Amino acid sequence: MLKVNHLKTYFLILLLLTNGMIFYTVSAEKTNNLLKVSFLDIGQGDAIFIESPIGNQFLIDAGPGKSILNALGRVMPIYDKTIDAVLATHPDADHIGGIPEILRNYTVSKYIYNGAMGTTGVFRELEDEVHRLNIKTDIVRTGDVIDLGGGVYLKILYPDINPKGTDTNKYSIVAKLYYGNSTFLFTGDAPTDVENYLVRNIGKELDSDVLKVAHHGSKNSLSNQFFSAVSPDYSIISAGKDNRYGHPHKEIVESLNNITSNILGTYDLGDIYFISDGQTLIRN
Amino acid sequence: MKNDFNLFLSIAGFVSAIFLCSFMKIGITFSLFLIFLSLILFLYVKLITTDEESRKIIFLIIITMISFSAGIIRYEIKDSASFDLNLENNIDQKVVISGIISDEIRNNERQAILVVDFANITLASTSMAVFGRGIVSTDLYPEYKYGDLIKISGKLEKPENFSNIGEGTTITSDPSQIKSQFGGASFDYISYLAKDDIFYKIDFAKTELISEGHGNFVKSFLFKIKDSFINNLNKIISEPESSLLSGILLGAKSSIDKNTTEIFRKAGLSHIIALSGYNITIVSDAIMKVFAFLPRNGGFILGIFGIIFFVLMTGASSTAVRAGVMALIVILAKSTRRNYQAGRALIIAGLMMVIVNPKILVFDISFQLSFLATIAIIYVAPVLKSRFTYITDKFGLRDIISSTISAQILVLPLILNKMGLLSLVALPANIFVLTLIPMTMFFGFITGVFSFIWFPLSLPLAWVSWILLAYIIIVSEFFASLPFSSVNIPWFSSSIMIACYFVITFWIIKENAKIKSN
């Protein structure tokens, strides 16, 4: 008799849990026509998670290591183990270090990169995994447009040539995200030369609401012209707390200060979330 | 009873010798001197004295001295590992060494940590065989596995101790997990590594695979199962919950991130992610409780299977085997209800372990935790249980809570000493968390098993595990975030710790005598 009662209790608990799970799923799936862009705090590196209004998930960079998995745990519901596409701006470990782990633990439909060949162990591992899992790859160039669904587009602004040589930053992908009136500019590790080149060629098009400051706020990506051309409302610096490179550099913060007061660092704030309905953009 | 006393005396002599040797150099000469002295005493007893009383006393002194010198000899043999000159002469030099990965690989967020048995060193383009074991840190990729023969290039160094690593200090130069886990006080890293015969390190090494499959066949197999088990868990459960599960379930050394580790440290819960008898004892205990309704031996047998399985799953490392043996003794004590025999079994088992590797007595916190937790469950839990009559006995709750608290009491001085951090919330945090550990392990385990059978089948189970794991993390975060959740107590020296244990021992003897007389 006692045992039967126990069974009933367990069954009840199980039903309750299932119920909770359903509510959780429903609330997690509610999309509200919102674009969500999250600059994830993964230490010294970049990782930007984008979710379009129809729920497509897109990741720009995932460095430097396994910490990206924790970060994804924070922005994705627990049952969701798929990502629509991962874009690697360039093959440095602080940008691609976590991608092999993502490919292993999530179902990724597409891998997008600039065609550059890295020489590091992690790059080879990434290539092997892409191969082994038969993931579709795309090499992108200036002018390519990626449709994220729900009216969200990612336009590639750079590179316009095939990467060569050992300077990986030089060919780092620069891309701009559009959703109605809201725009984001992602710069990877683009150096000053590239920034100036972009100002000369497509100056007007650079103007964005949110700028991911290039190269974690390093001195090598300091172009005042570029900052004025972008004239961001928010500047995001993705860097680790007390990192050994001294990022972000004082000069960068100072010149950004002349343009916008909203300089946000993942090293201070942790994850930084934005949402937009296409009209207004707010930091969440 | 008299035989018991003699046995106890010789064990005490042996163990105290090893204890002292761990801190100071005594040397074999001294033990030879003791043996010589005992010989003289022996002759004196045999030939000269006739007084029965003094004969008895001298006999006891002889036993103590002989066992004491045996302890010294055992320790000296372990400590006298011969150093290879080809390695010793190249300390602080850039070297190229090949060697076999001889233990499970640990990854932290940035690097892979390998234990390598060196085989060859290349000096001035000639290759020479070398003997020695080192800890090597290298890039996360390419990934190696146990038994791989690899080529290592880097600077050969001797490990160094570190001291007073406070909160928020970044540790980059020496990437060992133990540092982040026991990072509060100064830490004798040299001895910690030496207990496993590791005397060298190569940091930030460049490595390259030469060939695979040089490891022990059984171990390779066990690690392989463990790896795919963990991989499957990672696929179904998101981070950081899945790393926590691997830590709790398999003592997986990798992957729990620094933040989470720090949270557990503050909440006084570090032990749940360290492989020790602490976990496994609680689990085997719970298995028996849950299956107590089975006919007499059912729970007992399931408990034993649980332990053997756990040890195999963790790769049957010596740490896991020791933890398993301790847990078996607990099961024995519980099922026979004969504390006297279980206590003896525990002392003999502990002695055996110390004979096999005398350095664990002082330098292996996992051994110490296991031993103390076992004592707690055999001797302290019954005392507390008899007082916790207001806690419901349903679901074996009273048992679980009294086991938890008694283990807490016994490991507290050790943890205070090793970590230099008193978690003021440890007791409530442990009660809230540890009571759910067996259930978490159970669900985590069947999630993993079902994921091998059919993936979708494991999903509902994964959610249950996730809820439990998320609960553990939330509770830890809550307790860690309270103001004054922990205070630094760098003054908690080893002598204070030992004094604490004297008081506790005295209390245990008193309370158990009371129980016996009832």
Side-chain angles (χ1 to χ4, degrees), chain B residues 33-64:
Chain B
F33 168 71
L34 282 182
I35 292 171
F36 179 69
L37 213 62
S38 345
L39 204 69
I40 290 174
L41 282 177
F42 183 74
L43 291 175
Y44 174 78
V45 170
K46 275 282 163 204
L47 304 176
I48 298 168
T49 184
T50 48
D51 178 24
E52 200 51 36
E53 265 310 295
S54 56
R55 270 185 137 174
K56 243 186 219 163
I57 292 171
I58 292 173
F59 184 62
L60 290 181
I61 294 174
I62 291 176
I63 288 180
T64 318

PDB file of all heavy atoms in Angstrom, chain B residues 33-64:
ATOM      1  N   PHE B  33      69.310   3.146  13.887  1.00  0.00           N
ATOM      2  CA  PHE B  33      69.653   3.390  15.287  1.00  0.00           C
ATOM      3  C   PHE B  33      68.542   2.869  16.200  1.00  0.00           C
ATOM      4  O   PHE B  33      68.807   2.207  17.217  1.00  0.00           O
ATOM      5  CB  PHE B  33      69.873   4.892  15.483  1.00  0.00           C
ATOM      6  CG  PHE B  33      69.962   5.320  16.916  1.00  0.00           C
ATOM      7  CD1 PHE B  33      71.075   4.984  17.688  1.00  0.00           C
ATOM      8  CD2 PHE B  33      68.936   6.052  17.498  1.00  0.00           C
ATOM      9  CE1 PHE B  33      71.152   5.374  19.011  1.00  0.00           C
ATOM     10  CE2 PHE B  33      69.012   6.435  18.827  1.00  0.00           C
ATOM     11  CZ  PHE B  33      70.124   6.098  19.585  1.00  0.00           C
ATOM     12  N   LEU B  34      67.280   3.136  15.808  1.00  0.00           N
ATOM     13  CA  LEU B  34      66.143   2.669  16.606  1.00  0.00           C
ATOM     14  C   LEU B  34      66.100   1.151  16.666  1.00  0.00           C
ATOM     15  O   LEU B  34      65.849   0.551  17.721  1.00  0.00           O
ATOM     16  CB  LEU B  34      64.827   3.198  16.014  1.00  0.00           C
ATOM     17  CG  LEU B  34      64.477   4.656  16.307  1.00  0.00           C
ATOM     18  CD1 LEU B  34      63.124   4.999  15.698  1.00  0.00           C
ATOM     19  CD2 LEU B  34      64.454   4.925  17.805  1.00  0.00           C
ATOM     20  N   ILE B  35      66.362   0.529  15.539  1.00  0.00           N
ATOM     21  CA  ILE B  35      66.344  -0.929  15.498  1.00  0.00           C
ATOM     22  C   ILE B  35      67.444  -1.495  16.396  1.00  0.00           C
ATOM     23  O   ILE B  35      67.229  -2.441  17.168  1.00  0.00           O
ATOM     24  CB  ILE B  35      66.509  -1.434  14.040  1.00  0.00           C
ATOM     25  CG1 ILE B  35      65.264  -1.055  13.234  1.00  0.00           C
ATOM     26  CG2 ILE B  35      66.716  -2.945  14.004  1.00  0.00           C
ATOM     27  CD1 ILE B  35      65.394  -1.308  11.753  1.00  0.00           C
ATOM     28  N   PHE B  36      68.579  -0.877  16.328  1.00  0.00           N
ATOM     29  CA  PHE B  36      69.701  -1.288  17.170  1.00  0.00           C
ATOM     30  C   PHE B  36      69.331  -1.173  18.643  1.00  0.00           C
ATOM     31  O   PHE B  36      69.547  -2.082  19.447  1.00  0.00           O
ATOM     32  CB  PHE B  36      70.913  -0.404  16.828  1.00  0.00           C
ATOM     33  CG  PHE B  36      72.133  -0.709  17.638  1.00  0.00           C
ATOM     34  CD1 PHE B  36      72.818  -1.911  17.463  1.00  0.00           C
ATOM     35  CD2 PHE B  36      72.605   0.204  18.577  1.00  0.00           C
ATOM     36  CE1 PHE B  36      73.940  -2.192  18.220  1.00  0.00           C
ATOM     37  CE2 PHE B  36      73.718  -0.086  19.340  1.00  0.00           C
ATOM     38  CZ  PHE B  36      74.397  -1.280  19.165  1.00  0.00           C
ATOM     39  N   LEU B  37      68.699  -0.041  18.980  1.00  0.00           N
ATOM     40  CA  LEU B  37      68.265   0.211  20.352  1.00  0.00           C
ATOM     41  C   LEU B  37      67.267  -0.851  20.819  1.00  0.00           C
ATOM     42  O   LEU B  37      67.363  -1.375  21.930  1.00  0.00           O
ATOM     43  CB  LEU B  37      67.617   1.595  20.409  1.00  0.00           C
ATOM     44  CG  LEU B  37      67.793   2.392  21.691  1.00  0.00           C
ATOM     45  CD1 LEU B  37      69.270   2.681  21.916  1.00  0.00           C
ATOM     46  CD2 LEU B  37      67.009   3.695  21.606  1.00  0.00           C
ATOM     47  N   SER B  38      66.327  -1.188  19.925  1.00  0.00           N
ATOM     48  CA  SER B  38      65.326  -2.194  20.298  1.00  0.00           C
ATOM     49  C   SER B  38      65.989  -3.545  20.531  1.00  0.00           C
ATOM     50  O   SER B  38      65.581  -4.308  21.410  1.00  0.00           O
ATOM     51  CB  SER B  38      64.252  -2.362  19.216  1.00  0.00           C
ATOM     52  OG  SER B  38      64.260  -1.339  18.312  1.00  0.00           O
ATOM     53  N   LEU B  39      67.012  -3.814  19.742  1.00  0.00           N
ATOM     54  CA  LEU B  39      67.736  -5.071  19.892  1.00  0.00           C
ATOM     55  C   LEU B  39      68.369  -5.154  21.276  1.00  0.00           C
ATOM     56  O   LEU B  39      68.261  -6.169  21.976  1.00  0.00           O
ATOM     57  CB  LEU B  39      68.810  -5.163  18.798  1.00  0.00           C
ATOM     58  CG  LEU B  39      69.244  -6.578  18.441  1.00  0.00           C
ATOM     59  CD1 LEU B  39      68.114  -7.314  17.746  1.00  0.00           C
ATOM     60  CD2 LEU B  39      70.486  -6.537  17.564  1.00  0.00           C
ATOM     61  N   ILE B  40      68.967  -4.041  21.681  1.00  0.00           N
ATOM     62  CA  ILE B  40      69.597  -3.996  23.008  1.00  0.00           C
ATOM     63  C   ILE B  40      68.552  -4.192  24.091  1.00  0.00           C
ATOM     64  O   ILE B  40      68.714  -5.000  25.009  1.00  0.00           O
ATOM     65  CB  ILE B  40      70.326  -2.649  23.210  1.00  0.00           C
ATOM     66  CG1 ILE B  40      71.544  -2.616  22.295  1.00  0.00           C
ATOM     67  CG2 ILE B  40      70.744  -2.479  24.666  1.00  0.00           C
ATOM     68  CD1 ILE B  40      72.254  -1.300  22.301  1.00  0.00           C
ATOM     69  N   LEU B  41      67.412  -3.477  23.912  1.00  0.00           N
ATOM     70  CA  LEU B  41      66.332  -3.603  24.891  1.00  0.00           C
ATOM     71  C   LEU B  41      65.830  -5.042  24.959  1.00  0.00           C
ATOM     72  O   LEU B  41      65.556  -5.582  26.033  1.00  0.00           O
ATOM     73  CB  LEU B  41      65.180  -2.664  24.528  1.00  0.00           C
ATOM     74  CG  LEU B  41      65.382  -1.190  24.877  1.00  0.00           C
ATOM     75  CD1 LEU B  41      64.200  -0.365  24.396  1.00  0.00           C
ATOM     76  CD2 LEU B  41      65.566  -1.025  26.387  1.00  0.00           C
ATOM     77  N   PHE B  42      65.721  -5.635  23.780  1.00  0.00           N
ATOM     78  CA  PHE B  42      65.250  -7.012  23.699  1.00  0.00           C
ATOM     79  C   PHE B  42      66.174  -7.946  24.488  1.00  0.00           C
ATOM     80  O   PHE B  42      65.727  -8.785  25.274  1.00  0.00           O
ATOM     81  CB  PHE B  42      65.184  -7.435  22.227  1.00  0.00           C
ATOM     82  CG  PHE B  42      64.653  -8.817  22.017  1.00  0.00           C
ATOM     83  CD1 PHE B  42      63.297  -9.085  22.176  1.00  0.00           C
ATOM     84  CD2 PHE B  42      65.497  -9.858  21.671  1.00  0.00           C
ATOM     85  CE1 PHE B  42      62.804 -10.354  21.985  1.00  0.00           C
ATOM     86  CE2 PHE B  42      65.007 -11.143  21.485  1.00  0.00           C
ATOM     87  CZ  PHE B  42      63.658 -11.389  21.635  1.00  0.00           C
ATOM     88  N   LEU B  43      67.458  -7.751  24.266  1.00  0.00           N
ATOM     89  CA  LEU B  43      68.437  -8.576  24.988  1.00  0.00           C
ATOM     90  C   LEU B  43      68.341  -8.334  26.488  1.00  0.00           C
ATOM     91  O   LEU B  43      68.382  -9.258  27.289  1.00  0.00           O
ATOM     92  CB  LEU B  43      69.853  -8.254  24.494  1.00  0.00           C
ATOM     93  CG  LEU B  43      70.139  -8.722  23.062  1.00  0.00           C
ATOM     94  CD1 LEU B  43      71.515  -8.257  22.617  1.00  0.00           C
ATOM     95  CD2 LEU B  43      70.014 -10.232  22.966  1.00  0.00           C
ATOM     96  N   TYR B  44      68.127  -7.063  26.853  1.00  0.00           N
ATOM     97  CA  TYR B  44      67.990  -6.703  28.258  1.00  0.00           C
ATOM     98  C   TYR B  44      66.809  -7.429  28.882  1.00  0.00           C
ATOM     99  O   TYR B  44      66.912  -8.018  29.955  1.00  0.00           O
ATOM    100  CB  TYR B  44      67.817  -5.182  28.354  1.00  0.00           C
ATOM    101  CG  TYR B  44      67.519  -4.677  29.728  1.00  0.00           C
ATOM    102  CD1 TYR B  44      68.528  -4.552  30.690  1.00  0.00           C
ATOM    103  CD2 TYR B  44      66.223  -4.305  30.096  1.00  0.00           C
ATOM    104  CE1 TYR B  44      68.259  -4.086  31.955  1.00  0.00           C
ATOM    105  CE2 TYR B  44      65.934  -3.837  31.361  1.00  0.00           C
ATOM    106  CZ  TYR B  44      66.969  -3.726  32.294  1.00  0.00           C
ATOM    107  OH  TYR B  44      66.681  -3.259  33.540  1.00  0.00           O
ATOM    108  N   VAL B  45      65.685  -7.421  28.161  1.00  0.00           N
ATOM    109  CA  VAL B  45      64.486  -8.088  28.668  1.00  0.00           C
ATOM    110  C   VAL B  45      64.725  -9.585  28.802  1.00  0.00           C
ATOM    111  O   VAL B  45      64.393 -10.206  29.800  1.00  0.00           O
ATOM    112  CB  VAL B  45      63.282  -7.832  27.726  1.00  0.00           C
ATOM    113  CG1 VAL B  45      62.103  -8.706  28.086  1.00  0.00           C
ATOM    114  CG2 VAL B  45      62.873  -6.381  27.793  1.00  0.00           C
ATOM    115  N   LYS B  46      65.325 -10.149  27.788  1.00  0.00           N
ATOM    116  CA  LYS B  46      65.514 -11.603  27.760  1.00  0.00           C
ATOM    117  C   LYS B  46      66.497 -12.066  28.829  1.00  0.00           C
ATOM    118  O   LYS B  46      66.302 -13.074  29.487  1.00  0.00           O
ATOM    119  CB  LYS B  46      66.038 -12.026  26.368  1.00  0.00           C
ATOM    120  CG  LYS B  46      64.952 -12.228  25.351  1.00  0.00           C
ATOM    121  CD  LYS B  46      64.253 -13.576  25.538  1.00  0.00           C
ATOM    122  CE  LYS B  46      62.932 -13.520  24.773  1.00  0.00           C
ATOM    123  NZ  LYS B  46      61.933 -14.442  25.272  1.00  0.00           N
ATOM    124  N   LEU B  47      67.598 -11.301  28.951  1.00  0.00           N
ATOM    125  CA  LEU B  47      68.709 -11.808  29.739  1.00  0.00           C
ATOM    126  C   LEU B  47      68.787 -11.243  31.138  1.00  0.00           C
ATOM    127  O   LEU B  47      69.157 -11.946  32.067  1.00  0.00           O
ATOM    128  CB  LEU B  47      70.037 -11.547  29.011  1.00  0.00           C
ATOM    129  CG  LEU B  47      70.128 -12.115  27.588  1.00  0.00           C
ATOM    130  CD1 LEU B  47      71.429 -11.713  26.927  1.00  0.00           C
ATOM    131  CD2 LEU B  47      69.976 -13.634  27.618  1.00  0.00           C
ATOM    132  N   ILE B  48      68.425  -9.989  31.308  1.00  0.00           N
ATOM    133  CA  ILE B  48      68.728  -9.357  32.591  1.00  0.00           C
ATOM    134  C   ILE B  48      67.514  -9.209  33.489  1.00  0.00           C
ATOM    135  O   ILE B  48      67.425  -9.818  34.542  1.00  0.00           O
ATOM    136  CB  ILE B  48      69.404  -7.985  32.365  1.00  0.00           C
ATOM    137  CG1 ILE B  48      70.721  -8.227  31.625  1.00  0.00           C
ATOM    138  CG2 ILE B  48      69.657  -7.284  33.701  1.00  0.00           C
ATOM    139  CD1 ILE B  48      71.367  -7.002  31.080  1.00  0.00           C
ATOM    140  N   THR B  49      66.482  -8.445  33.001  1.00  0.00           N
ATOM    141  CA  THR B  49      65.401  -8.136  33.934  1.00  0.00           C
ATOM    142  C   THR B  49      64.495  -9.338  34.170  1.00  0.00           C
ATOM    143  O   THR B  49      64.320 -10.201  33.312  1.00  0.00           O
ATOM    144  CB  THR B  49      64.572  -6.940  33.450  1.00  0.00           C
ATOM    145  OG1 THR B  49      63.606  -6.649  34.455  1.00  0.00           O
ATOM    146  CG2 THR B  49      63.850  -7.249  32.161  1.00  0.00           C
ATOM    147  N   THR B  50      63.927  -9.380  35.327  1.00  0.00           N
ATOM    148  CA  THR B  50      62.993 -10.452  35.659  1.00  0.00           C
ATOM    149  C   THR B  50      61.656  -9.876  36.073  1.00  0.00           C
ATOM    150  O   THR B  50      60.673 -10.596  36.167  1.00  0.00           O
ATOM    151  CB  THR B  50      63.539 -11.316  36.817  1.00  0.00           C
ATOM    152  OG1 THR B  50      63.966 -10.424  37.846  1.00  0.00           O
ATOM    153  CG2 THR B  50      64.669 -12.192  36.348  1.00  0.00           C
ATOM    154  N   ASP B  51      61.618  -8.560  36.263  1.00  0.00           N
ATOM    155  CA  ASP B  51      60.387  -7.917  36.706  1.00  0.00           C
ATOM    156  C   ASP B  51      59.334  -7.941  35.600  1.00  0.00           C
ATOM    157  O   ASP B  51      59.548  -7.398  34.516  1.00  0.00           O
ATOM    158  CB  ASP B  51      60.703  -6.468  37.125  1.00  0.00           C
ATOM    159  CG  ASP B  51      59.440  -5.745  37.544  1.00  0.00           C
ATOM    160  OD1 ASP B  51      58.474  -6.421  37.934  1.00  0.00           O
ATOM    161  OD2 ASP B  51      59.419  -4.494  37.445  1.00  0.00           O
ATOM    162  N   GLU B  52      58.199  -8.579  35.869  1.00  0.00           N
ATOM    163  CA  GLU B  52      57.151  -8.775  34.848  1.00  0.00           C
ATOM    164  C   GLU B  52      56.633  -7.441  34.311  1.00  0.00           C
ATOM    165  O   GLU B  52      56.452  -7.265  33.119  1.00  0.00           O
ATOM    166  CB  GLU B  52      56.008  -9.589  35.471  1.00  0.00           C
ATOM    167  CG  GLU B  52      55.104 -10.276  34.470  1.00  0.00           C
ATOM    168  CD  GLU B  52      55.857 -11.110  33.426  1.00  0.00           C
ATOM    169  OE1 GLU B  52      56.888 -11.744  33.730  1.00  0.00           O
ATOM    170  OE2 GLU B  52      55.394 -11.096  32.266  1.00  0.00           O
ATOM    171  N   GLU B  53      56.395  -6.476  35.205  1.00  0.00           N
ATOM    172  CA  GLU B  53      55.844  -5.165  34.813  1.00  0.00           C
ATOM    173  C   GLU B  53      56.760  -4.438  33.829  1.00  0.00           C
ATOM    174  O   GLU B  53      56.337  -4.028  32.753  1.00  0.00           O
ATOM    175  CB  GLU B  53      55.632  -4.283  36.054  1.00  0.00           C
ATOM    176  CG  GLU B  53      54.224  -4.332  36.633  1.00  0.00           C
ATOM    177  CD  GLU B  53      53.130  -4.125  35.604  1.00  0.00           C
ATOM    178  OE1 GLU B  53      53.060  -3.028  35.032  1.00  0.00           O
ATOM    179  OE2 GLU B  53      52.331  -5.066  35.371  1.00  0.00           O
ATOM    180  N   SER B  54      58.018  -4.300  34.203  1.00  0.00           N
ATOM    181  CA  SER B  54      58.937  -3.548  33.352  1.00  0.00           C
ATOM    182  C   SER B  54      59.173  -4.288  32.042  1.00  0.00           C
ATOM    183  O   SER B  54      59.347  -3.678  30.983  1.00  0.00           O
ATOM    184  CB  SER B  54      60.262  -3.283  34.059  1.00  0.00           C
ATOM    185  OG  SER B  54      60.814  -4.509  34.480  1.00  0.00           O
ATOM    186  N   ARG B  55      59.113  -5.597  32.074  1.00  0.00           N
ATOM    187  CA  ARG B  55      59.209  -6.371  30.837  1.00  0.00           C
ATOM    188  C   ARG B  55      58.119  -5.971  29.856  1.00  0.00           C
ATOM    189  O   ARG B  55      58.349  -5.736  28.678  1.00  0.00           O
ATOM    190  CB  ARG B  55      59.061  -7.866  31.147  1.00  0.00           C
ATOM    191  CG  ARG B  55      60.362  -8.547  31.425  1.00  0.00           C
ATOM    192  CD  ARG B  55      60.096 -10.004  31.592  1.00  0.00           C
ATOM    193  NE  ARG B  55      61.095 -10.790  30.900  1.00  0.00           N
ATOM    194  CZ  ARG B  55      61.159 -12.110  30.980  1.00  0.00           C
ATOM    195  NH1 ARG B  55      60.272 -12.766  31.688  1.00  0.00           N
ATOM    196  NH2 ARG B  55      62.100 -12.759  30.345  1.00  0.00           N
ATOM    197  N   LYS B  56      56.900  -5.880  30.386  1.00  0.00           N
ATOM    198  CA  LYS B  56      55.745  -5.516  29.559  1.00  0.00           C
ATOM    199  C   LYS B  56      55.945  -4.150  28.914  1.00  0.00           C
ATOM    200  O   LYS B  56      55.755  -3.971  27.713  1.00  0.00           O
ATOM    201  CB  LYS B  56      54.490  -5.476  30.445  1.00  0.00           C
ATOM    202  CG  LYS B  56      53.432  -6.501  30.044  1.00  0.00           C
ATOM    203  CD  LYS B  56      52.200  -6.262  30.879  1.00  0.00           C
ATOM    204  CE  LYS B  56      51.574  -7.587  31.295  1.00  0.00           C
ATOM    205  NZ  LYS B  56      50.644  -7.422  32.411  1.00  0.00           N
ATOM    206  N   ILE B  57      56.354  -3.199  29.743  1.00  0.00           N
ATOM    207  CA  ILE B  57      56.513  -1.827  29.253  1.00  0.00           C
ATOM    208  C   ILE B  57      57.606  -1.766  28.186  1.00  0.00           C
ATOM    209  O   ILE B  57      57.426  -1.170  27.117  1.00  0.00           O
ATOM    210  CB  ILE B  57      56.832  -0.878  30.421  1.00  0.00           C
ATOM    211  CG1 ILE B  57      55.587  -0.774  31.316  1.00  0.00           C
ATOM    212  CG2 ILE B  57      57.228   0.510  29.902  1.00  0.00           C
ATOM    213  CD1 ILE B  57      55.821  -0.050  32.605  1.00  0.00           C
ATOM    214  N   ILE B  58      58.721  -2.436  28.467  1.00  0.00           N
ATOM    215  CA  ILE B  58      59.819  -2.418  27.498  1.00  0.00           C
ATOM    216  C   ILE B  58      59.398  -3.065  26.188  1.00  0.00           C
ATOM    217  O   ILE B  58      59.726  -2.588  25.101  1.00  0.00           O
ATOM    218  CB  ILE B  58      61.067  -3.116  28.095  1.00  0.00           C
ATOM    219  CG1 ILE B  58      61.626  -2.268  29.234  1.00  0.00           C
ATOM    220  CG2 ILE B  58      62.144  -3.292  27.026  1.00  0.00           C
ATOM    221  CD1 ILE B  58      62.744  -2.923  30.002  1.00  0.00           C
ATOM    222  N   PHE B  59      58.609  -4.111  26.326  1.00  0.00           N
ATOM    223  CA  PHE B  59      58.116  -4.772  25.117  1.00  0.00           C
ATOM    224  C   PHE B  59      57.296  -3.794  24.251  1.00  0.00           C
ATOM    225  O   PHE B  59      57.451  -3.748  23.024  1.00  0.00           O
ATOM    226  CB  PHE B  59      57.263  -5.984  25.513  1.00  0.00           C
ATOM    227  CG  PHE B  59      56.796  -6.776  24.334  1.00  0.00           C
ATOM    228  CD1 PHE B  59      57.730  -7.393  23.494  1.00  0.00           C
ATOM    229  CD2 PHE B  59      55.447  -6.911  24.044  1.00  0.00           C
ATOM    230  CE1 PHE B  59      57.306  -8.130  22.402  1.00  0.00           C
ATOM    231  CE2 PHE B  59      55.017  -7.628  22.946  1.00  0.00           C
ATOM    232  CZ  PHE B  59      55.947  -8.255  22.121  1.00  0.00           C
ATOM    233  N   LEU B  60      56.454  -3.019  24.913  1.00  0.00           N
ATOM    234  CA  LEU B  60      55.653  -2.023  24.179  1.00  0.00           C
ATOM    235  C   LEU B  60      56.549  -0.988  23.507  1.00  0.00           C
ATOM    236  O   LEU B  60      56.322  -0.582  22.361  1.00  0.00           O
ATOM    237  CB  LEU B  60      54.672  -1.323  25.124  1.00  0.00           C
ATOM    238  CG  LEU B  60      53.521  -2.177  25.641  1.00  0.00           C
ATOM    239  CD1 LEU B  60      52.608  -1.344  26.538  1.00  0.00           C
ATOM    240  CD2 LEU B  60      52.724  -2.769  24.487  1.00  0.00           C
ATOM    241  N   ILE B  61      57.578  -0.575  24.233  1.00  0.00           N
ATOM    242  CA  ILE B  61      58.506   0.406  23.653  1.00  0.00           C
ATOM    243  C   ILE B  61      59.173  -0.170  22.415  1.00  0.00           C
ATOM    244  O   ILE B  61      59.320   0.499  21.386  1.00  0.00           O
ATOM    245  CB  ILE B  61      59.566   0.826  24.699  1.00  0.00           C
ATOM    246  CG1 ILE B  61      58.879   1.594  25.837  1.00  0.00           C
ATOM    247  CG2 ILE B  61      60.643   1.700  24.055  1.00  0.00           C
ATOM    248  CD1 ILE B  61      59.806   1.930  26.998  1.00  0.00           C
ATOM    249  N   ILE B  62      59.556  -1.443  22.500  1.00  0.00           N
ATOM    250  CA  ILE B  62      60.199  -2.091  21.354  1.00  0.00           C
ATOM    251  C   ILE B  62      59.260  -2.085  20.149  1.00  0.00           C
ATOM    252  O   ILE B  62      59.642  -1.711  19.042  1.00  0.00           O
ATOM    253  CB  ILE B  62      60.620  -3.533  21.709  1.00  0.00           C
ATOM    254  CG1 ILE B  62      61.762  -3.495  22.716  1.00  0.00           C
ATOM    255  CG2 ILE B  62      61.052  -4.295  20.451  1.00  0.00           C
ATOM    256  CD1 ILE B  62      62.189  -4.850  23.203  1.00  0.00           C
ATOM    257  N   ILE B  63      57.996  -2.469  20.370  1.00  0.00           N
ATOM    258  CA  ILE B  63      57.018  -2.486  19.264  1.00  0.00           C
ATOM    259  C   ILE B  63      56.934  -1.117  18.619  1.00  0.00           C
ATOM    260  O   ILE B  63      57.007  -0.974  17.400  1.00  0.00           O
ATOM    261  CB  ILE B  63      55.612  -2.885  19.792  1.00  0.00           C
ATOM    262  CG1 ILE B  63      55.587  -4.361  20.147  1.00  0.00           C
ATOM    263  CG2 ILE B  63      54.553  -2.590  18.738  1.00  0.00           C
ATOM    264  CD1 ILE B  63      54.248  -4.818  20.665  1.00  0.00           C
ATOM    265  N   THR B  64      56.820  -0.096  19.460  1.00  0.00           N
ATOM    266  CA  THR B  64      56.680   1.256  18.924  1.00  0.00           C
ATOM    267  C   THR B  64      57.897   1.648  18.100  1.00  0.00           C
ATOM    268  O   THR B  64      57.770   2.185  17.001  1.00  0.00           O
ATOM    269  CB  THR B  64      56.493   2.260  20.080  1.00  0.00           C
ATOM    270  OG1 THR B  64      55.603   1.688  21.022  1.00  0.00           O
ATOM    271  CG2 THR B  64      55.950   3.565  19.572  1.00  0.00           C
TER     272      THR B  64
END
